[in-house]
Amino acid sequence: MGRIRILPDQVANQIAAGEVVDRPASVVKELLENSLDAGANRIRVEVEAGGRRLIRIADDGHGMNRDDALLAFERHATSKLRTADDLLSIATLGFRGEALPSIASVARVTLETATGDEAAGTRLEIAGGKILHVDDAALPRGTTIAVGDLFFNTPARRKFLRAEATELAHVTALVTHYALAHPEKHFELLSATHTVVSAPPVTRTAERIYQIFGKDTLAQLLPVAAEIPLAHAGLPEPPPWKKDPDEPVRDPGNLRLTGFYSKPELQKLNRNSIYIFVNKRLIRDRLLMHAITEAYRNVIPPTSFPVVLLFLEMPPGEVDVNVHPAKTEVRFRQQSLIHDFVRDSLRTALIKARPAAGFLAALDNAPAASPSLMPPATSPLPGSPESEPFPPQPDSDPDAFQAVRRDAEPFELTPRLPAPVPGKLPFAANGFNPGGWGDRQAWGEAAAALFQPASLPPAGDCSPAAGDAAGTNPVAETALVEAEQAAANLNHLGSLRPLGQLRESFILATGEDGLWIIDQHVAHERVLFEKILRDRQIEKVQRQRLLMPMLVELKPWQMVVFARIAEELERNGFEVEPFGPQTLAVKAAPVGLEGTALERMLAEVIEQSSADSDEPKQNEDLAALRGRIAASIACHSAIKVNTPLDPVRMEWLLLELAKTSHPTSCPHGRPIALLYSWKEIQRAFHRI
Ligand SMILES: Nc1ncnc2c1ncn2[C@@H]1O[C@H](COP(=O)(O)OP(=O)(O)OP(=O)(O)O)[C@@H](O)[C@H]1O
Ligand SMILES: [Mg+2]
């Protein structure tokens, strides 16, 4: 007898479950996506014990008839796909026909579903992949799926589950982010003890952000929107001889980006605050992460990350979603086009908005970027490699650890969760109890009343505007308008009137908006940085010959780095020749750079460039190197602090700063100009 055997379905499903379901949040993700695919407008998620004991999701979608309900738990059973060709243009979140059988193989599941067209709905119980009961039941249109005792039959998996609060935090992050992608739908997340998320329908994403995170968060974010027509569809065209001449020319469609991005003053230590949705699917994607980082290059420090909510829409044929079992990764058919579109749209938005940093906000956001917008150890995607321990272990990176400790409090995108109190949902008498749920008394009344507005649970205190429908709530509306108007910008820098200097280091200036404080060194640094980059672009960098060549001693490894960047340095105005094995003779340098500043600048660039590996992406390295050289020259030749400036020079500096693309921050990411707004001043003096 041969050795090879076909695995029983049960085992195959458990293996598939290993890829799809690794924690309660991944169950919630699959069920939420199913509800959205079913066209639900209202989705209510309830969890007990962080989802380990119970996860229940109720939706008002199109439901299933009895046959479909039974089929749904079969492997590779899906209503979303028929032929292999359909795979090329998937418009639904699910398509693999794997989620329900996978979940059912590692938990006890009860499904209640009705289409509304038939006399009776269906109630189905299934445990460890085995169907226990199928009954008719009187149910409203929609589907409710309860998943209890997750991993009850796979103890090894169960062991990997984290504390209840952590699992709940993951679930919260997930629900929150799907709520962001669908402002027009009603989302609720309830734990046994309180309402964690309550987001009634609103018309705009800004309102949803306000609803979930509150006014302060909204005030730190700026909207972005861009759209381009695609020149051609991403799929390869059939060869001309195979083309049907009668076939109408297909419109390749548009590429659309909407979302929110943070002002440069708000910086994070990791990527956890960047959320990317492609056709409303939450994904992680290195390409787009890179595009976002590029957009913020030389606006925030290279070690910091912005907060970005990015919604990309494109024809389904432009993106392959079938690349990861948990559907959390995608592959774009026109990768570089999408990368550049995202980078350029964000950068243009930043240049246009030129958001001014408020004085008080800058104090709060001071250099130690807070660690993450997520609750402890959380990432929006199950098993995401981006998720980092919180707080970081002291031995891993002492500085980061200190920064986190110092700044652990402010600004969290996800509402902070109160400590979990052991308890059960009022309607599940004994935790998971498949038999008991047939009894409408036990939970059915609650479920029946689920979609009656009067049955809404009271809003929890952790959700700033929980329960507010921003569209109908005047307070929410006012806050929204205020937050949108509050974005003072730097467009009027050129018309400011300088009053004088503070300690010969900061320029004080007045304008319509209020009182401005401008850091003269970083302001000049930004002006020079952009000029150097421009001049370099057109090969017009001004150089000056030194009266005497300056000799610079380098260590052997520095000589190696120097050799690599010598050509770029030359194009930036340097004339350097070897003078012995470890000495360089600098004969000319960019205008404005001399003496020790010149020496320090060279050492700095060599030091920074030593980290560069021989990465394959040559162009990218070159752009980064140019940026570094320009930033370093600018920094070392800019006006220093403790330098007196006459009014003419101050005015000149403000005018020049106004002309730059990013007057918000210096190339290293420090703020340049802070505004004490007229409103803040009036408030501080109790005039309003
Ligand atoms: N909440 C729901 N409302 C209506 N139909 C549902 C719901 N959940 C699941 N279904 C039906 O059950 C089928 C199987 O669901 P399942 O999640 O296992 O697969 P899928 O969504 O098609 O693909 P994937 O495995 O990628 O999620 C779906 O195709 C859908 O027809
Ligand atoms: Mg699914």
Side-chain angles (χ1 to χ4, degrees):
M1 199 176 134
R3 290 156 177 264
I4 301 178
R5 224 164 294 144
I6 303 270
L7 289 175
D9 273 358
Q10 180 95 354
V11 182
N13 283 339
Q14 276 199 12
I15 293 171
E19 288 177 323
V20 180
V21 183
D22 65 349
R23 64 188 334 155
S26 42
V27 174
V28 173
K29 173 180 180 290
E30 292 298 337
L31 299 183
L32 259 183
E33 291 189 348
N34 279 349
S35 297
L36 290 168
D37 282 345
N41 286 314
R42 183 160 190 176
I43 301 174
R44 176 172 165 130
V45 184
E46 295 153 323
V47 289
E48 264 186 35
R52 304 165 67 141
R53 194 184 305 142
L54 177 69
I55 297 164
R56 176 160 45 232
I57 302 199
D59 69 49
D60 62 351
H62 58 54
M64 285 176 268
N65 64 25
R66 192 182 178 117
D67 290 348
D68 280 353
L70 282 165
L71 259 183
F73 288 93
E74 293 290 328
R75 203 136 175 255
H76 306 309
T78 178
S79 57
K80 303 170 190 174
L81 202 71
R82 277 176 207 281
T83 65
D85 279 354
D86 294 348
L87 265 180
L88 301 178
S89 56
I90 292 168
T92 48
L93 295 167
F95 54 88
R96 299 169 60 98
E98 267 186 348
L100 288 185
S102 300
I103 294 168
S105 70
V106 292
R108 303 180 208 274
V109 175
T110 303
L111 166 78
E112 296 204 309
T113 184
T115 57
D117 308 332
E118 280 149 48
T122 306
R123 189 169 180 288
L124 194 147
E125 277 169 31
I126 183 163
K130 282 205 187 72
I131 297 185
L132 305 178
H133 295 282
V134 191
D135 301 305
D136 282 352
L139 296 164
R141 178 184 187 264
T143 302
T144 300
I145 298 190
V147 177
D149 271 352
L150 187 61
F151 302 133
F152 79 99
N153 53 353
T154 50
R157 262 287 144 130
R158 204 176 169 86
K159 258 196 242 150
F160 279 101
L161 291 181
R162 308 272 290 274
E164 279 179 24
T166 311
E167 295 300 342
L168 178 58
H170 280 273
V171 172
T172 308
L174 208 103
V175 174
T176 303
H177 297 109
Y178 273 93
L180 280 171
H182 298 270
E184 73 293 351
K185 298 190 192 264
H186 193 154
F187 285 83
E188 285 167 289
L189 170 64
L190 295 98
S191 81
T193 48
H194 59 276
T195 305
V196 186
V197 175
S198 171
V202 285
T203 46
R204 292 187 297 152
T205 311
E207 293 172 67
R208 179 64 30 114
I209 293 178
Y210 170 75
Q211 234 179 10
I212 295 181
F213 308 129
K215 182 176 154 191
D216 291 348
T217 305
L218 191 58
Q220 310 234 41
L221 301 177
L222 294 165
V224 53
E227 184 161 3
I228 49 165
L230 289 165
H232 58 89
L235 292 177
E237 290 274 313
W241 62 90
K242 275 200 169 173
K243 262 192 187 163
D244 177 359
D246 296 333
E247 197 185 320
V249 183
R250 209 156 39 101
D251 173 11
N254 282 8
L255 183 58
R256 212 159 81 87
L257 175 156
T258 54
F260 288 82
Y261 64 99
S262 53
K263 299 177 182 175
E265 72 207 62
L266 179 64
Q267 294 164 15
K268 300 285 152 193
L269 284 176
N270 53 29
R271 298 180 172 86
N272 287 353
S273 314
I274 299 177
Y275 305 106
I276 302 168
F277 295 82
V278 172
N279 292 345
K280 306 221 164 173
R281 180 194 303 279
L282 179 59
I283 58 147
R284 54 169 174 254
D285 188 78
R286 290 171 64 109
L287 181 84
L288 294 183
M289 279 289 179
H290 182 265
I292 292 168
T293 319
E294 281 288 286
Y296 276 86
R297 171 141 34 141
N298 289 123
V299 177
I300 64 174
T303 46
S304 296
F305 298 91
V307 177
V308 177
L309 297 176
L310 200 73
F311 300 101
L312 271 174
E313 306 276 343
M314 62 192 77
E318 288 296 317
V319 50
D320 185 358
V321 290
N322 185 25
V323 290
H324 189 272
K327 295 163 286 185
T328 50
E329 285 169 22
V330 295
R331 198 174 298 129
F332 299 106
R333 307 214 191 267
Q334 306 191 55
Q335 293 211 16
S336 55
L337 177 96
I338 290 179
H339 172 275
D340 296 356
F341 171 65
V342 168
R343 181 198 58 200
D344 298 346
S345 308
L346 273 181
R347 202 155 246 269
T348 312
L350 266 169
I351 291 174
K352 226 168 122 197
R354 304 166 146 226
F359 194 79
L360 301 174
L363 274 182
D364 273 353
N365 291 324
S370 74
S372 160
L373 299 182
M374 310 303 297
T378 305
S379 135
L381 295 171
S384 161
E386 308 293 352
S387 55
E388 293 176 14
F390 178 91
Q393 297 310 304
D395 54 356
S396 62
D397 180 355
D399 287 343
F401 181 66
Q402 285 312 327
V404 166
R405 289 286 293 270
R406 229 180 304 132
D407 205 30
E409 286 303 308
F411 199 90
E412 295 198 355
L413 196 52
T414 303
R416 203 142 342 134
L417 302 172
V421 183
K424 297 189 166 77
L425 292 170
F427 33 80
N430 285 311
F432 186 74
N433 178 1
W437 287 8
D439 175 7
R440 292 192 70 79
Q441 283 308 108
W443 82 285
E445 277 170 16
L450 191 63
F451 297 116
Q452 307 292 321
S455 76
L456 287 181
D461 51 0
C462 56
S463 166
D468 289 350
T472 55
N473 179 334
V475 181
E477 270 295 294
T478 326
L480 256 178
V481 173
E482 257 185 31
E484 281 167 4
Q485 288 173 346
N489 61 47
L490 294 162
N491 288 337
H492 309 298
L493 268 181
S495 57
L496 296 186
R497 200 160 61 84
L499 302 176
Q501 279 171 294
L502 195 63
R503 300 207 174 193
E504 300 185 335
S505 301
F506 297 94
I507 299 171
L508 299 179
T510 57
E512 266 301 294
D513 305 326
L515 176 68
W516 291 82
I517 305 176
I518 295 121
D519 182 328
Q520 64 193 39
H521 170 67
V522 290
H524 195 207
E525 202 179 334
R526 168 55 72 181
V527 171
L528 290 176
F529 172 72
E530 294 195 7
K531 179 178 182 322
I532 294 165
L533 279 185
R534 260 193 325 268
D535 290 352
R536 165 70 188 83
Q537 184 84 16
I538 51 170
E539 307 269 359
K540 284 252 163 68
V541 178
Q542 291 175 349
R543 68 169 65 186
Q544 67 188 7
R545 296 206 73 78
L546 305 184
L547 289 176
M548 290 261 290
M550 193 179 77
L551 298 184
V552 183
E553 291 233 343
L554 294 183
K555 301 193 179 70
W557 67 265
Q558 290 175 317
M559 285 301 270
V560 176
V561 179
F562 173 78
R564 213 170 61 217
I565 63 173
E567 192 189 331
E568 189 53 38
L569 282 172
E570 198 186 317
R571 292 175 148 206
N572 272 287
F574 286 90
E575 194 186 318
V576 184
E577 280 175 10
F579 192 78
Q582 287 184 38
T583 311
L584 299 174
V586 184
K587 296 187 163 173
V591 170
L593 200 58
E594 43 200 33
T596 47
L598 170 56
E599 211 170 332
R600 267 197 238 129
M601 181 262 146
L602 271 178
E604 187 177 279
V605 170
I606 289 175
E607 174 78 38
Q608 289 170 348
S609 305
S610 66
D612 270 3
S613 58
D614 301 329
E615 288 218 342
K617 292 182 191 143
Q618 283 296 323
N619 286 343
E620 189 187 302
D621 269 2
L622 192 62
L625 176 63
R626 274 185 201 170
R628 269 202 307 270
I629 293 176
S632 192
I633 299 175
C635 178
H636 290 282
S637 40
I639 301 166
K640 302 277 175 293
V641 290
N642 296 316
T643 307
L645 295 178
D646 56 37
V648 179
R649 287 182 132 206
M650 286 192 267
E651 248 169 60
W652 171 85
L653 185 55
L654 293 181
L655 269 173
E656 289 302 306
L657 182 62
K659 287 186 211 154
T660 60
S661 307
H662 295 285
T664 40
S665 42
C666 80
H668 304 104
R670 291 214 309 253
I672 295 176
L674 299 179
L675 171 68
Y676 241 130
S677 76
W678 177 228
K679 213 171 190 176
E680 278 166 350
I681 293 170
Q682 280 180 302
R683 260 198 212 129
F685 285 106
H686 297 222
R687 288 201 166 264
I688 52 170

